[in-house]
């Protein structure tokens, strides 16, 4: 079973990497750009046929390693 | 108009960062994990009301800065 996990910085957390990309794009002439924020993306393949059980395991991985819950949010979706 | 862009390494490109995460998770006891690959995620807000035009601009940003087309694929979706 395959899942995608998107990890983003919480709304109020400063995103210096995104800011650099934003400034660069603006300097390249993309004046319509309002804002850009960068995050992480994981594609996880797991040996588990029960959807509920698989989601629980993915959630576990996020909380134990992939996500810093203090400054980041995450979203799991089946693909 | 807001878009999300997901950038992933092409299937045959080695993903050392993902491999490290995979090994770490396995060492933590997640034996059901088959594979994990890491990518980037962007949330882009743009001053453009025409969907077609906005998508064209986002696509431009991807090709000119955000994505290395030689080793990476990308997917744009409206959010």
């Amino acid at each position: 079973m395959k899942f995608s996990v998107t990890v983003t910085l919480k709304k109020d957390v400063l995103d210096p990497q995104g800011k650099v990309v934003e400034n660069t794009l603006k300097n390249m002439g993309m004046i319509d750009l309002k804002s850009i924020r960068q995050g992480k993306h994981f594609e996880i393949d797991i040996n588990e046929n029960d959807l509920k059980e698989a989601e629980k395991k993915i959630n576990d991985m996020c909380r134990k390693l992939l996500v810093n819950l203090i400054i980041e949010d995450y979203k799991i979706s089946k693909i």
Side-chain angles (χ1 to χ4, degrees), chain A residues 5 8 10 14 27-29 34 43 55 63 65 71 74:
Chain A
V5 176
T8 48
K10 288 187 180 172
L14 192 68
N27 289 339
M28 285 166 75
K34 229 177 122 186
E43 259 176 48
E55 270 179 350
R63 303 198 149 252
L65 182 73
I71 53 165
Y74 66 102

Side-chain angles (χ1 to χ4, degrees), chain A residues 5-25 33-42 66-68 71-74:
Chain A
V5 176
T6 304
V7 182
T8 48
L9 283 167
K10 288 187 180 172
K11 212 173 60 70
D12 296 324
V13 177
L14 192 68
D15 173 17
Q17 206 175 353
K19 206 73 199 162
V20 168
V21 174
E22 184 179 322
N23 291 340
T24 308
L25 282 170
L33 179 64
K34 229 177 122 186
S35 77
I36 183 166
R37 283 177 78 81
Q38 192 170 347
K40 281 179 289 183
H41 172 87
F42 296 99
L66 304 179
V67 183
N68 177 349
I71 53 165
E72 292 172 327
D73 287 323
Y74 66 102

